[in-house]
Amino acid sequence: MDSSIDKSKEMNPMRDDRAKFVHHAEAVWDQRESYGPSGFRGVFNSSYAALCAAFAALGGMVFGYDQGVVSVILVMPQFLSRFTRVSETASGAGFWKGFLTAMIELGALIGALNQGWIADKISRKYSIVLAVIVFTLGSILQTAAVDYAMLIVGRLIGGLGIGMLSMVAPLYISEISPPEIRGALLVLEEFSIVAGICIAYWITYGTQYIDNEWAWRCPFLLQMIPSTVLGVGILFLPFSPRWLASKGRDDEALHNLGKLRQLPVTDHRVRQEWFDIRAEVAFHRQTSAIRHPHLQSKSMMNSIKLELVSWSDCFRRGCWRRTHIGIGIMFFQQFVGINALLLFYMLSFGASWGPVPWAMPSEIFPSSLRAKGVALSTSSNWFNNFIIGLITPPLVQNTGFGAYTFFAVFCLLSFVWTYFFVPETRGRTLEQMDHVFKDIDSQEEEARRHAIEAEIIASHHGDLAAGGKQQGLSVEP
């Protein structure tokens, strides 16, 4: 055996280069050689995956920019002179202004929920392209709006695109990231949202001095720049290896995995991750077949029925705990009051309830239900965002300091809920989540999982042996 390998093993006695599946909920670096350091230090070891994640996170910037733009445009005299219905002197102005802002949240709720099946059907990558097209159409209508009705339709369509992007961007990032830095890359979504808000404030600060309607049309027009860059650029990024594996395109999944990890496809770490992905896909496909045996024949009607019952599977044994956490974490993100009391504790929010609710749902669901689970979680965010926007003005007006008490209670509840229900996912692979949530709890399920893993290992034993000899490694028979 190569002396460098011997020396490496002496330095790291836990390292085992043999093909080995993990059947526990602990961090993988305790049992396997990692791709590199964890956290932000590891980003430099996976620069290509980090670049892909940063690019996909432009979807968050689009969302943040739109939120920031509208909050300023609504008080511009140039805007109010065109849309007199929302001016302070108009009858029912408060309702029509609220209706205008609610349209983006309604559209986002529908868009996020609808993206659950689209991302499974046409891929995470192409669903981002579709989201950009929808968002661009909405932006065009908003930029060219000549009356309130046209503006409302533009806001609704734009909201559809924003909701689709807010769901699929974290999903794509989670599926391409190595476990050591997945959390570090997923927080890019929240960072991009905040960056988009800041950019919008600066742009509208400048355009407010334009003496005509371009004071508000220009910001709407400019939001198409980052979305277009995202829509075109994503075409040059790789498909999610996990989506490819779910479609039976295993060789492509291996190729893209090697590309994302910047390692040859014969590298034992890439091979092991590939095996993990395929085993998890096969196990949950088999579980679905056991649950719904009458829907397995290939027909259009059965495909539609299977798609519908898959949504209900998110609330059944094997997934309901994850759905509870995905929806609950988005609920508390809104009900800790950040959108109502923004300036008071942005720092603490930005290090906790800001990024984590965008990150965790895309980590915890099984491959067969991941898109649908993330869609339900993201929809929870938009629904609760809408509720907060609805109740905060009268709450502040009628109770004064009672509003602070209200949100403080939810902050306390969020602590208790997190302590008792939310598990640790740091350093865990997406394929470990069955063990993290203890969803494989019968001998029959364990036996099925082991049988699938043994079959995958056996089918590639020759490739493993060849790869092992190239690296001076041995392979378990």
Side-chain angles (χ1 to χ4, degrees):
M1 185 176 287
D2 192 313
S3 61
S4 63
I5 299 292
D6 289 334
K7 186 174 181 180
S8 175
K9 283 184 175 290
E10 290 174 7
M11 294 173 62
N12 185 3
M14 294 301 295
R15 172 178 168 178
D16 184 356
D17 295 314
R18 301 176 179 182
K20 180 172 63 176
F21 290 90
V22 172
H23 298 108
H24 58 71
E26 303 305 316
V28 290
W29 51 65
D30 293 334
Q31 299 292 327
R32 298 178 181 172
E33 183 185 6
S34 66
Y35 284 114
S38 62
F40 286 104
R41 290 185 303 136
V43 169
F44 299 100
N45 284 63
S46 300
S47 55
Y48 183 67
L51 179 64
C52 293
F55 200 86
L58 281 174
M61 181 177 290
V62 170
F63 157 39
Y65 180 90
D66 185 87
Q67 296 286 85
V69 159
V70 172
S71 65
V72 178
I73 281 178
L74 282 174
V75 297
M76 281 187 179
Q78 302 93 321
F79 178 82
L80 297 175
S81 64
R82 162 62 69 173
F83 304 103
T84 55
R85 186 175 294 186
V86 296
S87 64
E88 293 184 359
T89 57
S91 175
F95 170 80
W96 295 114
K97 184 178 291 188
F99 188 64
L100 178 65
T101 56
M103 278 299 99
I104 197 75
E105 291 159 351
L106 175 62
L109 172 64
I110 297 171
L113 200 58
N114 201 44
Q115 190 76 314
W117 70 269
I118 295 175
D120 275 341
K121 184 69 175 178
I122 66 173
S123 81
R124 288 48 166 143
K125 177 175 167 177
Y126 289 149
S127 63
I128 290 176
V129 176
L130 180 60
V132 167
I133 292 172
V134 173
F135 176 77
T136 301
L137 176 60
S139 297
I140 291 172
L141 290 174
Q142 291 172 75
T143 304
V146 295
D147 56 33
Y148 184 79
M150 186 175 178
L151 183 64
I152 283 290
V153 172
R155 295 298 292 165
L156 179 64
I157 295 176
L160 288 171
I162 286 175
M164 294 168 74
L165 285 172
S166 68
M167 175 270 174
V168 76
L171 176 63
Y172 178 77
I173 294 171
S174 75
E175 292 191 338
I176 66 171
S177 304
E180 295 84 4
I181 62 169
R182 189 176 61 242
L185 296 185
L186 280 167
V187 300
L188 289 173
E189 177 74 5
E190 176 67 12
F191 177 82
S192 295
I193 292 171
V194 175
I197 293 173
C198 293
I199 292 170
Y201 286 161
W202 281 108
I203 286 177
T204 49
Y205 177 78
T207 62
Q208 67 177 321
Y209 297 106
I210 300 176
D211 290 333
N212 54 50
E213 291 186 349
W214 279 104
W216 59 268
R217 293 189 191 274
C218 184
F220 278 141
L221 179 67
L222 291 176
Q223 70 183 353
M224 288 185 270
I225 294 177
S227 65
T228 302
V229 171
L230 173 61
V232 174
I234 197 72
L235 295 172
F236 298 94
L237 301 187
F239 287 100
S240 160
R242 289 169 170 84
W243 179 81
L244 289 170
S246 73
K247 299 300 179 183
R249 295 160 63 176
D250 294 333
D251 290 339
E252 291 178 71
L254 176 60
H255 172 77
N256 280 12
L257 199 58
K259 185 176 182 180
L260 285 162
R261 302 296 176 260
Q262 298 170 273
L263 293 167
V265 296
T266 55
D267 185 275
H268 63 279
R269 293 166 294 180
V270 174
R271 284 292 219 202
Q272 183 65 71
E273 187 175 2
W274 184 50
F275 290 159
D276 286 340
I277 292 169
R278 292 172 58 200
E280 200 256 357
V281 167
F283 176 77
H284 285 285
R285 184 178 292 148
Q286 195 177 88
T287 300
S288 177
I290 292 171
R291 282 182 176 172
H292 314 293
H294 56 293
L295 299 178
Q296 300 307 308
S297 60
K298 300 295 183 182
S299 70
M300 177 68 74
M301 186 55 66
N302 277 351
S303 296
I304 294 173
K305 289 180 179 178
L306 189 59
E307 175 67 27
L308 293 175
V309 298
S310 294
W311 288 92
S312 66
D313 285 344
C314 291
F315 298 92
R316 296 181 61 180
R317 177 186 168 276
C319 198
W320 73 267
R321 292 184 186 88
R322 313 185 203 198
T323 304
H324 157 236
I325 288 173
I327 293 175
I329 204 167
M330 287 296 196
F331 168 85
F332 281 113
Q333 186 196 50
Q334 296 303 315
F335 271 81
V336 294
I338 189 62
N339 285 331
L341 312 170
L342 183 64
L343 297 179
F344 292 93
Y345 57 102
M346 188 65 187
L347 183 61
S348 60
F349 179 83
S352 55
W353 283 104
V356 175
W358 290 109
M360 182 163 273
S362 59
E363 296 180 314
I364 60 179
F365 289 95
S367 60
S368 58
L369 299 175
R370 187 171 296 130
K372 295 175 179 62
V374 175
L376 289 169
S377 304
T378 309
S379 297
S380 170
N381 177 282
W382 289 108
F383 176 76
N384 289 295
N385 194 335
F386 171 75
I387 295 297
I388 287 295
L390 198 65
I391 68 172
T392 298
L395 190 66
V396 173
Q397 182 177 353
N398 298 326
T399 68
F401 71 89
Y404 297 90
T405 305
F406 176 83
F407 292 117
V409 169
F410 277 100
C411 284
L412 179 61
L413 289 175
S414 71
F415 170 80
V416 175
W417 179 81
T418 302
Y419 183 83
F420 285 104
F421 293 108
V422 180
E424 181 58 72
T425 61
R426 176 177 177 265
R428 282 69 172 173
T429 68
L430 299 183
E431 290 67 42
Q432 275 184 276
M433 294 303 160
D434 283 343
H435 294 93
V436 170
F437 285 89
K438 299 179 175 61
D439 285 329
I440 298 181
D441 57 2
S442 71
Q443 291 184 346
E444 184 271 335
E445 288 179 329
E446 281 286 1
R448 283 199 292 116
R449 184 74 177 237
H450 282 285
I452 290 169
E453 293 166 354
E455 183 180 349
I456 290 173
I457 291 292
S459 66
H460 289 276
H461 187 270
D463 294 339
L464 271 173
K469 288 177 182 178
Q470 290 174 12
Q471 301 182 54
L473 310 178
S474 57
V475 182
E476 287 182 342

